[in-house]
Amino acid sequence: MVDVALSPVEAGDGPDRPLHVAIIMDGNGRWARSRGKPRTFGHREGAKAVRRTIEAASDFGVTHLTLFGFSSENWTRPATEIGDIMALVRFYLRRELAELHRSNVRFQVIGDRTQLSDDIVELIENAERTTRNNTGLAVTLALSYGGRAEIAGAARRIAEEAAAGRLKPEAVDETALAARLSTHGCPDPDLVIRTSGEQRLSNFLLWQVAYAEFVFLDVLWPDFDRTHLASALDEFGRRERRYGRALS
Ligand code: FPP
């Protein structure tokens, strides 16, 4: 079999510390239900776990952290729950911006902003503008995000550019497509963590996780703390990444 050279790593197994960690934060609802509380309570505690995780990731030398906050499929949830999550996002963006900026975090959001309310889009743009030149941890929040829609959008842009004569079909390769994704300029995730024991990708960063390692943890997201992140990073350090190469 031909070994296709897709690896960003020239030699060796790459760093034993993941530079880009992507997290599917799952289990807020179950966490709340097990305490006889409404799901919103779980989301609120989940937001506290987001704060802890950003701090811990920075401390552990992670350079990029992507968090799946709300998927394109989550719009099918009851309107009251969507309203609660959006209120939390609004609250988070207002309340945490100063702290994120003080911590030198560069913050950005990926996903379909046309679905979000105008005031949330304004808060996002303000947070992105304020933290644009920060040099610490790059935090990406995926909101109203779906991997397939993102790839379809990139394909549509390529088709438009080709139809307008600005792009030759032979120039359409993996680099050209990746350059039209919302994550362009950001390294692909090295490690994907999903909490709550579920073992699915749920349409998260489909293109970008081609060579990521996966760690599934039994902890529910509101209980996630730096010890869980540390154990996922340890597990990552024990993996041998081969990018399609033969076993050494
Ligand atoms: C998954 O748990 C979680 C979500 C769909 C929402 C994620 C939101 C947060 C962590 C809080 C808000 C985030 C920010 C950045 C303010 P689930 O509800 O699917 O849990 P379940 O599978 O147990 O029902």
Side-chain angles (χ1 to χ4, degrees), residues 25-31 33 39 42-44 46-47 50 67-71 74 77 81 85 88-90 92-93 141 196 198 220-221:
M25 311 181 284
D26 197 10
N28 293 351
R30 275 163 284 169
W31 187 92
R33 202 169 51 230
R39 296 175 60 81
H43 295 317
R44 219 176 300 148
V50 167
L67 301 168
F68 204 2
F70 192 84
S71 74
N74 287 153
R77 291 192 177 200
E81 182 173 351
I85 293 177
L88 203 51
V89 167
R90 199 176 274 119
Y92 183 88
L93 289 170
L141 182 63
S196 90
E198 305 290 344
L220 300 174
W221 177 251

Side-chain angles (χ1 to χ4, degrees), residues 86-149:
M86 289 303 150
L88 203 51
V89 167
R90 199 176 274 119
F91 180 76
Y92 183 88
L93 289 170
R94 285 205 187 103
R95 174 84 186 268
E96 297 290 320
L97 176 59
E99 179 54 29
L100 291 172
H101 192 37
R102 208 175 11 254
S103 308
N104 199 21
V105 164
R106 185 155 45 91
F107 179 84
Q108 64 158 2
V109 169
I110 55 171
D112 181 6
R113 292 185 193 193
T114 65
Q115 304 291 319
L116 301 173
S117 66
D118 289 348
D119 71 308
I120 290 188
V121 173
E122 261 175 48
L123 287 167
I124 290 170
E125 287 174 354
N126 179 45
E128 289 178 334
R129 211 173 24 245
T130 306
T131 64
R132 189 170 41 204
N133 296 320
N134 288 347
T135 54
L137 178 68
V139 173
T140 301
L141 182 63
L143 264 189
S144 186
Y145 173 86
R148 286 184 173 180

Side-chain angles (χ1 to χ4, degrees), residues 17-18 21 23 48-63 65 103 105 137 139 221 224-231 233:
R17 185 180 291 275
V21 176
I23 306 184
K48 293 182 191 163
V50 167
R51 189 182 313 140
R52 285 197 293 274
T53 305
I54 290 176
E55 218 178 276
S58 240
D59 292 346
F60 292 153
V62 169
T63 60
L65 177 70
S103 308
V105 164
L137 178 68
V139 173
W221 177 251
F224 189 88
D225 64 20
R226 64 172 51 227
T227 64
H228 300 103
L229 181 60
S231 79
L233 299 185

Side-chain angles (χ1 to χ4, degrees), residues 157-227:
R157 278 189 282 284
I158 283 173
E160 285 164 359
E161 289 172 46
R166 295 196 304 274
L167 188 66
K168 292 195 166 71
E170 56 271 27
V172 179
D173 56 11
E174 292 180 19
T175 306
L177 198 134
R180 288 160 181 83
L181 296 173
S182 60
T183 50
H184 66 92
C186 177
D188 286 343
D190 301 292
L191 170 65
V192 176
I193 300 171
R194 183 170 188 148
T195 59
S196 90
E198 305 290 344
Q199 303 193 358
R200 284 188 295 280
L201 198 47
S202 300
N203 204 12
F204 186 43
L205 300 176
L206 294 181
W207 173 279
Q208 297 87 341
V209 299
Y211 282 92
E213 296 293 326
F214 289 78
V215 171
F216 300 104
L217 299 175
D218 275 333
V219 62
L220 300 174
W221 177 251
D223 288 329
F224 189 88
D225 64 20
R226 64 172 51 227
T227 64

